[in-house]
Amino acid sequence: MLTYIFMLAWLGVTAFTSLPVYMYFNLWTICRNATVVDGANLCLDLRQYGIVTVGEEKKVCTSSESFIKMCDSNELNMTFHLFIVALAGAGAAVIAMVHYLMVLSANWAYVKDACRMQKYEDIKSKEEQELHDIHSTRSKERLNAYT
């Protein structure tokens, strides 16, 4: 049960780390397109990510000086790559947990089957012993009948 809970927790971590990757990818795409197309005023509406409330209108546009500085900074690229690494690590943990659960289920089925087979072998050996005892008793009765 604990393994299932941990797997669900890692699945949640994977879901939450995918959101910043999506956001940074969109921001990186706008930065790249702003440098390719001169004079284009591309805007990123922060309401679509849930960062600000729907009533507020907060847009980050390529014409602002702070946006240009942000696109030119190394921190944006480094942060984007670190979020990708976090997503990959969380995804690998989920895959490992699913693999572990599959192996655990297979081992449980194997042990259960081995237990049933052991019970079958015990019953079979008892029946063979009983048949052997019956046969040896009849053989002794036949010997006694001749004497």
Side-chain angles (χ1 to χ4, degrees):
M1 182 67 175
L2 191 62
T3 307
Y4 288 109
I5 292 170
F6 282 142
M7 203 246 344
L8 290 175
W10 274 108
L11 197 59
V13 169
T14 303
F16 284 119
T17 55
S18 67
L19 295 175
V21 170
Y22 175 71
M23 290 172 51
Y24 272 92
F25 178 74
N26 285 340
L27 191 63
W28 177 72
T29 304
I30 289 174
C31 285
R32 189 179 54 169
N33 289 338
T35 57
V36 172
V37 180
D38 291 331
N41 190 14
L42 303 173
C43 292
L44 179 67
D45 191 4
L46 297 177
R47 291 181 294 182
Q48 68 182 358
Y49 299 116
I51 296 172
V52 296
T53 60
V54 177
E56 297 179 46
E57 186 171 338
K58 292 279 188 171
K59 290 185 179 180
V60 179
C61 294
T62 58
S63 60
S64 67
E65 187 66 32
S66 61
F67 187 83
I68 295 169
K69 284 182 183 177
M70 181 183 64
C71 287
D72 292 337
S73 69
N74 288 333
E75 287 82 14
L76 179 69
N77 286 334
M78 179 59 99
T79 306
F80 181 55
H81 293 304
L82 289 176
F83 275 124
I84 289 174
V85 169
L87 177 63
V94 167
I95 290 171
M97 292 295 280
V98 168
H99 182 267
Y100 175 74
L101 287 172
M102 288 171 42
V103 168
L104 189 67
S105 298
N107 284 343
W108 179 256
Y110 177 75
V111 167
K112 204 171 186 182
D113 188 45
C115 183
R116 286 182 188 157
M117 185 60 85
Q118 183 63 39
K119 287 179 184 178
Y120 171 74
E121 291 292 330
D122 289 343
I123 291 170
K124 184 179 171 184
S125 66
K126 285 179 184 178
E127 287 180 356
E128 286 177 356
Q129 183 64 34
E130 287 176 2
L131 286 174
H132 179 59
D133 290 343
I134 291 171
H135 182 69
S136 65
T137 304
R138 286 186 179 169
S139 296
K140 287 180 184 176
E141 288 175 359
R142 287 183 190 157
L143 283 175
N144 289 336
Y146 287 122
T147 55

